[in-house]
Amino acid sequence: MKACHHCRQQNADDANFCAQCGTALIMTSSAAPAESAAAEPVPEAASYALPASEQDLWRQFIGPNADRYLEQFKKFSSDGQPKFALSWNWPAFLYISFLWFLYRKMYLHAFVYAIGPMASTYITGDMTVGLVWSVMAGATANYLYYWHCKEEIEEIKKAGARNPSAQEAALREAGGVQPYVIYVGIVLYVIALAGVAKMIEEGQLDGDKIPTRPAKPASSVST
C-alpha cells in the first residue's frame, strides 16, 4: 500500500493519485533516485583548465615559477573563452617594468614600457608619472603574459610535425627567461641610488631648488 502524504489515506501500490483527496502520490523509491540524480545541479565548469597534454608545453615555455603563473592564468578564461581580469604582479611593479617584460622575452612590451615612462615624464614634466606606469604594469602583466604564452605556444604547435627534441628546443628559444636582465636591473638601481645620493648631497632635492618651467612673460599692451 502507498500512503498519501497529504491526507494519509492508504492507496494501491500502482495508484498515481490519492483516492480520497486526489493529491499526486509520491513516486516509488525506485523512481525517486533517478529523479534526484536528474535534478542534481551540474557543477560549474572550471574557470580555466589546461588539458593535461598541454600542461607540460606551458611549463616548459614559462620556465621559472610556471605553477604560480598557471594558477594566475585561470582567471583569464570563462567557459573556455578568454576574458580580462585584474591581477597583480609584484615583480613587474617593484622591478623596473620594462626589464620584467624583457626578462620574460616580451620585447614589444619591453619597448613600450621603456619609452612610455620617459616620454610621459618629458611631456608632463612630472617625475611621478613613472609610478603610474609601474601600477599599470603590476595590474596587467599577468594578463599580457598569458596572451604572450598562448600565442607563442600556438605558433610552435602550428609549425607542423616536429620531433620532441625540436619542439623542446623551440619552446626554450621562444620562452623561458633571460637571467642576465636581473643583473642589468641591479646595476641600474645602484646607478639610480647613487644619483639620488649625489643630488641630496648637493642640495638639489630641496623644495626651493626644484627646477620649474619659466613662466610665460605677460604680453604688454601699448597705450
Side-chain angles (χ1 to χ4, degrees):
M1 299 293 286
K2 188 189 301 183
C4 174
H5 69 280
H6 181 68
C7 67
R8 313 309 302 173
Q9 171 68 28
Q10 294 295 323
N11 296 274
D13 290 335
D14 58 351
N16 293 325
F17 298 92
C18 178
Q20 177 170 304
C21 66
T23 301
L25 299 176
I26 298 175
M27 287 186 174
T28 59
S29 58
S30 61
E35 180 181 337
S36 175
E40 188 173 337
V42 178
E44 294 183 0
S47 58
Y48 184 87
L50 282 173
S53 59
E54 292 193 8
Q55 287 187 7
D56 288 341
L57 294 178
W58 283 69
R59 285 193 175 91
Q60 288 179 51
F61 185 88
I62 295 172
N65 301 314
D67 289 334
R68 181 171 67 83
Y69 281 108
L70 289 176
E71 186 66 25
Q72 290 288 334
F73 292 168
K74 292 179 181 179
K75 303 175 182 178
F76 308 133
S77 180
S78 176
D79 296 329
Q81 299 299 319
K83 69 171 184 177
F84 175 75
L86 287 175
S87 63
W88 191 256
N89 187 307
W90 281 107
F93 171 69
L94 295 175
Y95 206 47
I96 302 174
S97 297
F98 89 90
L99 287 180
W100 181 86
F101 289 106
L102 187 62
Y103 176 70
R104 285 288 170 179
K105 299 184 179 180
M106 301 169 67
Y107 302 116
L108 178 59
H109 296 89
F111 176 78
V112 170
Y113 273 86
I115 300 300
M118 291 189 296
S120 300
T121 301
Y122 177 79
I123 293 172
T124 63
D126 185 359
M127 295 294 293
T128 62
V129 76
L131 180 61
V132 176
W133 283 86
S134 295
V135 172
M136 287 172 53
T140 62
N142 289 329
Y143 181 72
L144 296 174
Y145 188 45
Y146 161 73
W147 274 104
H148 172 74
C149 295
K150 183 178 178 65
E151 292 173 352
E152 291 291 334
I153 291 173
E154 287 298 325
E155 287 297 322
I156 292 173
K157 290 167 62 178
K158 287 179 183 177
R162 292 178 177 232
N163 59 60
S165 59
Q167 187 177 72
E168 184 177 349
L171 290 168
R172 283 199 307 268
E173 181 179 356
V177 298
Q178 302 187 106
Y180 77 86
V181 175
I182 296 176
Y183 303 105
V184 173
I186 293 173
V187 171
L188 290 177
Y189 267 119
V190 170
I191 294 174
L193 289 175
V196 171
K198 184 174 180 60
M199 291 174 69
I200 293 175
E201 182 180 354
E202 294 177 355
Q204 294 181 16
L205 292 184
D206 292 343
D208 296 337
K209 297 183 180 181
I210 295 177
T212 57
R213 293 182 177 180
K216 293 182 179 181
S219 58
S220 56
V221 180
S222 58
T223 55

